[in-house]
Amino acid sequence: MKVICFQWQLIKKMRNKRGKFTRVPIEVPIDSLTPLDITCGSTKCEEELHCFSLKKSSIRKHGKKGVCHQCGTDLIDWTRVHQLNLHDVSFMFSAMKNELIRHVFWLTEIDDKAREGAIAEGLEQLKERARKSLKTKVGKHNAFMDGRQTPMGNGDIVNYAQHATATCCRKCIEIWHNIPQEKLLTEEELDFFTELVMLYSKERIPELK
């Protein structure tokens, strides 16, 4: 009984004020996690699922940027990822899955509302709406809303896709796509992000036509 209580207290300490894990305990299996259990900064380093950071605090702690803020792991080929090359998108997606939040969004079950809504829209309308959504949410930097532009799923496949492809907020875009937060996104950059969203959507919902 004491061992169980100790484990419960340890798991509780690893959650933030909103009840989300900052570090996922060893005892909690990855496939049990949902987007509502974690944040962009969550990690489970024991299973090689990290959170890569450009924060000054992480640089001071580990001596370089682009490493896991928790353990300092350096395993992303940022030069290649930052090419923003659709022909190399498989490599980009593979790299992103080393980050806990991206990993979860690539594996989590798509809710019925999001799935059925996407199928009803069809590919052309979904693509048009995705681009508009990207331009509205992340087309320019919004310090007040930073990190909250994109809901965690919320019945919309575009929300799932933005988190999975690191197009959910300007901080994630800066890390994974090397575009400064204060810069207005160009039409070409919006087109590129739209294609990422559509690639994710078609993979997760094969019925899309």
Side-chain angles (χ1 to χ4, degrees):
M1 182 65 71
K2 287 183 179 180
V3 173
I4 294 174
C5 289
F6 175 76
Q7 289 180 336
W8 171 249
Q9 289 297 323
L10 186 61
I11 289 174
K12 189 175 180 181
K13 285 182 180 179
M14 291 185 178
R15 292 182 182 268
N16 63 17
K17 293 180 180 179
R18 291 180 293 164
K20 298 193 175 195
F21 285 117
T22 51
R23 285 192 295 161
V24 179
I26 296 175
E27 296 82 3
V28 177
I30 288 295
D31 58 9
S32 73
L33 294 174
T34 73
L36 298 179
D37 295 317
I38 58 175
T39 70
C40 284
S42 300
T43 60
K44 194 175 187 187
C45 300
E46 298 85 358
E47 294 191 28
E48 292 299 326
L49 293 169
H50 307 281
C51 172
F52 301 100
S53 175
L54 297 177
K55 290 182 178 179
K56 291 181 179 179
S57 58
S58 296
I59 297 172
R60 287 195 300 270
K61 182 178 178 181
H62 301 296
K64 62 188 302 187
K65 64 181 181 180
V67 299
C68 175
H69 76 86
Q70 185 65 48
C71 69
T73 290
D74 179 12
L75 48 75
I76 306 299
D77 183 348
W78 293 109
T79 300
R80 184 172 173 181
V81 169
H82 288 164
Q83 293 299 311
L84 306 188
N85 182 3
L86 281 175
H87 296 295
D88 202 25
V89 74
S90 294
F91 177 84
M92 180 186 295
F93 285 165
S94 178
M96 287 180 176
K97 290 173 187 177
N98 288 291
E99 198 160 49
L100 177 61
I101 190 167
R102 318 295 162 208
H103 183 88
V104 169
F105 270 97
W106 275 99
L107 292 181
T108 194
E109 185 176 353
I110 307 298
D111 68 75
D112 291 341
K113 182 180 178 182
R115 179 179 296 277
E116 292 166 7
I119 293 171
E121 275 186 299
L123 283 172
E124 289 187 12
Q125 289 186 30
L126 180 61
K127 184 174 183 178
E128 183 179 341
R129 184 171 66 82
R131 195 181 192 285
K132 288 180 180 178
S133 179
L134 285 160
K135 188 170 185 176
T136 300
K137 292 176 183 174
V138 297
K140 62 181 179 180
H141 183 239
N142 185 337
F144 177 73
M145 286 294 293
D146 200 25
R148 295 177 290 164
Q149 290 100 323
T150 306
M152 299 289 254
N154 198 31
D156 187 349
I157 189 61
V158 175
N159 292 340
Y160 285 92
Q162 283 190 249
H163 287 290
T165 61
T167 57
C168 47
C169 70
R170 293 307 299 259
K171 287 181 180 179
C172 290
I173 287 173
E174 183 175 37
I175 293 169
W176 282 98
H177 304 292
N178 199 33
I179 299 173
Q181 294 182 42
E182 295 76 16
K183 178 183 177 294
L184 283 173
L185 295 184
T186 65
E187 295 300 307
E188 291 77 12
E189 287 162 350
L190 285 168
D191 287 342
F192 176 76
F193 292 154
T194 301
E195 290 302 324
L196 296 187
V197 166
M198 294 308 296
L199 287 168
Y200 172 90
S201 300
K202 287 186 282 188
E203 181 168 331
R204 300 305 313 279
I205 307 178
E207 308 96 304
L208 269 172
K209 296 180 180 178

